[in-house]
Amino acid sequence: MLPLFSESPYSVLMSAESQLATAPEGWAVGHPRRSVIEAAWRAIGPGVEVLSSDDGGPLTRTVKRIIDPLVLRLRSNPQYSAPVVAADTAAAMHDLIIGSAAELCSTAVWFDALKLERRRQRIRSGNAQELYFPVCFELAVTKGPPTPHDHETAPATLREIHESRDRTGMEQLHQYVASPDVVAALAAQLERSWRDVRASEDVWSNATAGLVAELGTVLGAAAGHRAAVARQRVWSAVIADATPYNLGAAARDETAELPWSIVELGLSSVAPQRQPPVAGGADNDRPLDRSVVNRVRATLRRALDRDALPDIPLLCEEEVDRACAPWGLLSEDKQATLVAGIEVAVELAPLDRSVASRYALAAQVQARLRKEAYVLHARRYLAEGGPIHPRQQQVVDDLASYAQPYLSRLWARLHGRDVWQEPCEDVDDMRSLLEGVARSVSLDHRQRIKSMLELQVAG
């Protein structure tokens, strides 16, 4: 079995302030990259407030749109993308961010200028941060801060950004990927990004046991305020640790031994996981098999606010990186949530009353599932050996391998959260998500049985 994380999760829970006091010379081995970025950001000082959150750290979109792609340049420097980085890597990241302080301050000024012009032109489409942050950094690098006499750049920039956003997202996607040059560029990016993801070599054999112990707290009962606080603390440590990342990276290594089979879980059609295609490929609904274009298409179908998404070219580039990330998810909290969901899913056996659960949350979900009328009905039919309608057979098959529909639905929800930058950092929110997925699968089963009965009555 592949060992997963390279240090105790509690050792990574160091505050940004204490890191700032010691950076860059005093970085301890194994710091969360998010804390490294926040410490360097705070060291910049005034001038970047418009790019910062209320507590003084960088906005999530600042990291996603500016720091990661344009300052740290993760595609050229994959060593900066690991969830936990070594001392020399942390120091290099710190130096890069501090070294870009002038450009970041100019970026903030350009963003204010574009927002002012946006109000003048009464533009309401699109998320300003999502659309303007990268452009503002480019202007900062090429032009420096805006000058008092420059009255042309801001209007021209907004025209260029917004001129093609009136077309539907699907139409833009189809036109964009119809170009062989575009597909070739995305394929080259896919090759590079896929090679960059590797499981850490600095691991030890009891890592899986450590993860199970931590999830025992995260997915267990919490009696009282102190227990609830401890549960949140452990979940934060799991997110900050490299274990979920390493598990997902190891899923594509033919020599690795995972605690579960990604094929039996329904996440992939083959093991080890194959590199997904840009477009085309087999017509497969397994989450990790889907092409980049199909993943973008799913995002556009789910989007209630198309304007809050980036433009199609950037959306496709982001999806390439997401498809290559461990578990097909970029954010560490989504990767950790999927691993927690896998641990719950493998314990859900609605048709088998002899299966017990290690985790309290799994036991709660299991108890609710076994009380469902359609589950009781299916179990009685199976015990009696009676005939089962083909549509009901589909439900029985789902119940017999419950992890597959459960994890397929969970992955889809986490993918949406990853795209929309919705966090899973709150342990109660994460637990509610895991419970909600089971309810959603049950509703789907009930609807299928209802449709079957309606067809029988109509016949």
Side-chain angles (χ1 to χ4, degrees):
M1 184 175 294
L2 180 75
L4 304 173
F5 52 73
S6 56
E7 63 174 334
S8 167
Y10 295 101
S11 67
V12 301
L13 294 178
M14 186 175 188
S15 68
E17 290 79 5
S18 63
Q19 292 177 56
L20 178 56
T22 59
E25 293 84 7
W27 289 110
V29 174
H31 279 270
R33 71 181 302 272
R34 292 178 299 175
S35 298
V36 175
I37 291 171
E38 183 168 330
W41 184 264
R42 292 178 185 275
I44 293 174
V48 291
E49 289 82 1
V50 71
L51 308 178
S52 304
S53 58
D54 292 340
D55 66 359
L59 292 167
T60 300
R61 279 197 173 93
T62 300
V63 176
K64 180 182 176 183
R65 290 280 178 254
I66 300 175
I67 295 177
D68 279 351
L70 304 175
V71 177
L72 298 178
R73 303 181 68 183
L74 296 188
R75 288 177 188 156
S76 301
N77 302 293
Q79 69 274 20
Y80 300 149
S81 65
V84 179
V85 295
D88 56 342
T89 304
M93 292 170 63
H94 187 276
D95 290 343
L96 275 174
I97 296 171
I98 294 298
S100 300
E103 289 81 4
L104 292 168
C105 290
S106 295
T107 299
V109 181
W110 273 113
F111 184 64
D112 276 335
L114 290 190
K115 282 203 303 181
L116 179 60
E117 183 62 29
R118 176 185 172 94
R119 286 194 292 270
R120 286 174 180 161
Q121 295 187 24
R122 297 181 180 178
I123 296 174
R124 292 180 174 84
S125 64
N127 182 282
Q129 294 176 351
E130 197 81 32
L131 296 176
Y132 304 162
F133 274 5
V135 176
C136 290
F137 187 83
E138 180 182 349
L139 291 171
V141 171
T142 57
K143 292 178 174 290
T147 64
H149 305 293
D150 184 355
H151 303 296
E152 300 297 328
T153 300
T157 300
L158 291 187
R159 280 197 303 272
E160 183 178 351
I161 291 173
H162 289 278
E163 64 182 1
S164 64
R165 289 187 63 84
D166 289 338
R167 290 180 291 143
T168 67
M170 288 295 187
E171 179 188 356
Q172 292 181 61
L173 175 63
H174 293 156
Q175 291 184 8
Y176 183 65
V177 298
S179 167
D181 291 340
V182 166
V183 174
L186 291 175
Q189 179 193 338
L190 189 74
E191 290 282 348
R192 293 192 303 270
S193 296
W194 186 262
R195 289 196 304 267
D196 287 342
V197 174
R198 297 181 300 275
S200 171
E201 297 178 1
D202 184 21
V203 291
W204 61 76
S205 59
N206 65 347
T208 303
L211 176 63
V212 170
E214 289 157 354
L215 290 179
T217 299
V218 170
L219 303 174
H225 175 70
R226 287 189 178 181
V229 170
R231 186 164 67 186
Q232 178 63 60
R233 184 171 62 248
V234 173
W235 176 238
S236 298
V238 171
I239 292 173
D241 192 82
T243 304
Y245 179 99
N246 283 334
L247 267 174
R252 60 193 67 181
D253 183 353
E254 61 183 9
T255 65
E257 295 182 16
L258 296 180
W260 342 268
S261 163
I262 60 174
V263 175
E264 292 178 6
L265 294 175
L267 293 172
S268 174
S269 61
V270 295
Q273 179 194 348
R274 294 177 300 197
Q275 177 179 308
V278 172
D283 184 14
N284 196 314
D285 63 350
R286 303 293 176 93
L288 300 182
D289 295 343
R290 295 170 188 165
S291 70
V292 173
V293 172
N294 280 342
R295 291 163 63 114
V296 174
R297 192 178 290 120
T299 294
L300 294 173
R301 282 198 301 264
R302 289 194 301 259
L304 297 177
D305 182 8
R306 163 70 183 91
D307 287 335
L309 291 171
D311 288 331
I312 293 298
L314 185 55
L315 195 60
C316 289
E317 291 175 8
E318 282 186 0
E319 200 56 50
V320 167
D321 289 339
R322 186 173 289 109
C324 293
W327 302 117
L329 303 166
L330 281 173
S331 300
E332 294 93 339
D333 57 340
K334 315 304 183 303
Q335 295 168 4
T337 300
L338 184 64
V339 171
I342 291 172
E343 282 290 288
V344 169
V346 296
E347 299 197 344
L348 299 180
L351 297 179
D352 187 352
R353 297 185 65 84
S354 67
V355 174
S357 301
R358 291 173 295 174
Y359 305 109
L361 182 65
Q364 293 170 16
V365 174
Q366 183 92 288
R368 282 196 293 268
L369 287 173
R370 288 173 177 168
K371 291 178 182 177
E372 290 276 359
Y374 76 92
V375 175
L376 295 171
H377 182 77
R379 194 161 58 234
R380 185 171 65 252
Y381 258 55
L382 290 173
E384 295 173 353
I388 300 178
H389 189 280
R391 291 200 179 192
Q392 193 168 3
Q393 185 64 53
Q394 295 175 4
V395 174
V396 172
D397 291 343
D398 276 358
L399 291 172
S401 56
Y402 194 82
Q404 294 191 9
Y406 179 89
L407 291 175
S408 179
R409 184 100 18 133
L410 174 61
W411 187 90
R413 292 195 179 183
L414 291 174
H415 177 261
R417 287 194 175 207
D418 208 40
V419 172
W420 294 95
Q421 303 175 52
E422 297 173 355
C424 292
E425 296 174 350
D426 181 84
V427 70
D428 291 331
D429 176 53
M430 182 276 296
R431 287 166 57 96
S432 294
L433 174 62
L434 298 185
E435 291 184 89
V437 168
R439 286 193 296 270
S440 179
V441 173
S442 290
L443 287 172
D444 180 58
H445 287 165
R446 287 184 222 157
Q447 185 58 46
R448 274 198 262 170
I449 292 172
K450 180 181 178 182
S451 298
M452 176 197 70
L453 295 174
E454 289 173 348
L455 285 173
Q456 287 180 333
V457 171

